[in-house]
Amino acid sequence: MDNQIPIRNVGAVPIGPGSQDEGDMVLDYMKMPGAMHTYDMPILPEAEDVQSCPQAVAVLEQLQHALDHYEVDQPSSRFSIKSLPAPDLSLLNNLLGEGEVSIRIEGTEAYQIQETVMAGVWRVRSWIGEELSSDVIEVADIPAAVRELSFSQAEPLTPKLASLPTNLLNAPSVLVEIAEVSEKYSQDKTPIPHVINLSLLPFSPEDHGCLTYFTGTGPVTMLSRGYGNCRITATNVENLWRVQYYNSTDQLILDTLEIVDIPAVGCAAPEDLEDSAERLHEIRDVLV
């Protein structure tokens, strides 16, 4: 029996270099994130400047002790710097700089929180009206105010589902899933994070509007800058976050909902805190 596979005569079909010319057609694809924020050693002050700022040096010593002993999920360490003299405060500002994550919390007491160049070391400032009420440096995977206030305005979602519009695609099923998982997450002793990828679902503008209306917007907004930007927004549903990833041209490339205490992308990891402790040791070795 002849087991050879017959080969079709391709005739004059071109092959080889240049055979795939598509004329004026151009390959068009979405740009992925490009720029990446990296750690740079801060410009260290002269020895005389350090000696003239003993309170700043004392804060750095406290900060070092906190970083050396902190463990994720443990209570944070906080150091008030509101009453520091201007030269000491300026020295700390120059040494700590600004890192990847910034956080805003709205409310009667409004917060502006900025991660420093050392991950897990946060500058936490709050205002009541126009008056600065607190200014602290905090060592934590995420500042305590974020955990305490993210869902301070949360409302049950399930009772609202009876009034869902009927002219929608996937918003109703997503909202039902959110209600069920959110309630279960709050009751579990060891809850497992749950992610819903909206980018993979057919979602009309009406679906997005309905989802936003029923889940609401909470008081906490975070921006994490690594490759591109990640915008993290608390909702009015317990433990539900809207996590949106943008590339370097600010195009939305991934749109998700996360049911979790705090999305991991906004938190400092244990290894980040260990690196920060080592970096501060290096800085203090030079300064002191």
Side-chain angles (χ1 to χ4, degrees):
M1 178 182 293
D2 187 359
N3 291 325
Q4 292 183 343
I5 301 175
I7 300 176
R8 180 177 297 178
N9 185 358
V10 296
V13 176
I15 60 174
S19 63
Q20 306 302 314
D21 184 9
E22 298 290 345
D24 295 331
M25 293 181 63
V26 177
L27 178 62
D28 187 18
Y29 59 92
M30 181 177 290
K31 293 183 179 179
M32 297 300 290
M36 181 180 180
H37 294 260
T38 57
Y39 171 77
D40 293 317
M41 177 72 82
I43 299 175
L44 300 181
E46 299 295 332
E48 308 81 54
D49 297 330
V50 177
Q51 292 173 359
S52 65
C53 299
Q55 293 187 51
V57 173
V59 170
L60 291 176
E61 184 177 356
Q62 290 178 301
L63 181 58
Q64 184 71 72
H65 182 270
L67 278 171
D68 288 342
H69 294 87
Y70 178 77
E71 294 183 6
V72 172
D73 294 330
Q74 297 299 312
S76 62
S77 297
R78 295 163 56 89
F79 315 103
S80 176
I81 57 175
K82 183 181 177 184
S83 59
L84 284 185
D88 294 74
L89 188 59
S90 177
L91 176 63
L92 287 176
N93 288 339
N94 290 335
L95 288 176
L96 298 179
E98 292 189 359
E100 292 185 356
V101 181
S102 56
I103 305 172
R104 185 179 72 251
I105 305 177
E106 299 177 352
T108 305
E109 186 174 15
Y111 289 78
Q112 287 186 0
I113 302 172
Q114 177 65 54
E115 189 178 36
T116 69
V117 293
M118 287 175 278
V121 178
W122 306 83
R123 178 77 175 274
V124 182
R125 290 177 287 180
S126 64
W127 285 263
I128 297 178
E130 299 296 325
E131 182 179 354
L132 180 67
S133 56
S134 68
D135 187 355
V136 304
I137 295 174
E138 184 170 354
V139 176
D141 57 338
I142 197 75
V146 178
R147 293 191 184 277
E148 294 168 2
L149 301 174
S150 293
F151 300 102
S152 58
Q153 304 169 7
E155 301 174 349
L157 177 59
T158 302
K160 301 179 182 179
L161 300 183
S163 58
L164 279 173
T166 57
N167 60 333
L168 300 172
L169 295 175
N170 283 297
S173 58
V174 168
L175 287 167
V176 169
E177 181 178 355
I178 291 170
E180 293 177 352
V181 176
S182 176
E183 182 178 358
K184 185 175 184 298
Y185 186 92
S186 300
Q187 295 172 352
D188 285 351
K189 293 183 179 180
T190 55
I192 300 174
H194 184 83
V195 178
I196 302 172
N197 188 345
L198 299 178
S199 299
L200 299 178
L201 298 175
F203 246 62
S204 67
E206 290 77 15
D207 281 280
H208 281 289
C210 177
L211 183 67
T212 301
Y213 175 80
F214 279 90
T215 58
T217 302
V220 175
T221 303
M222 294 189 271
L223 176 64
S224 177
R225 297 167 295 177
Y227 282 111
N229 293 327
C230 178
R231 299 172 191 174
I232 309 161
T233 308
T235 69
N236 277 339
V237 178
E238 191 75 26
N239 300 124
L240 177 66
W241 299 83
R242 187 77 175 262
V243 184
Q244 298 172 303
Y245 296 83
Y246 295 79
N247 64 12
S248 52
T249 61
D250 210 34
Q251 291 177 296
L252 181 63
I253 56 176
L254 182 61
D255 190 3
T256 66
L257 294 167
E258 292 192 24
I259 299 173
V260 65
D261 289 338
I262 307 288
V265 68
C267 299
E271 54 269 25
D272 295 329
L273 286 147
E274 292 173 5
D275 287 344
S276 294
E278 292 178 6
R279 290 172 182 174
L280 186 55
H281 270 298
E282 294 171 358
I283 292 172
R284 292 180 63 246
D285 286 343
V286 175
L287 291 179
V288 181

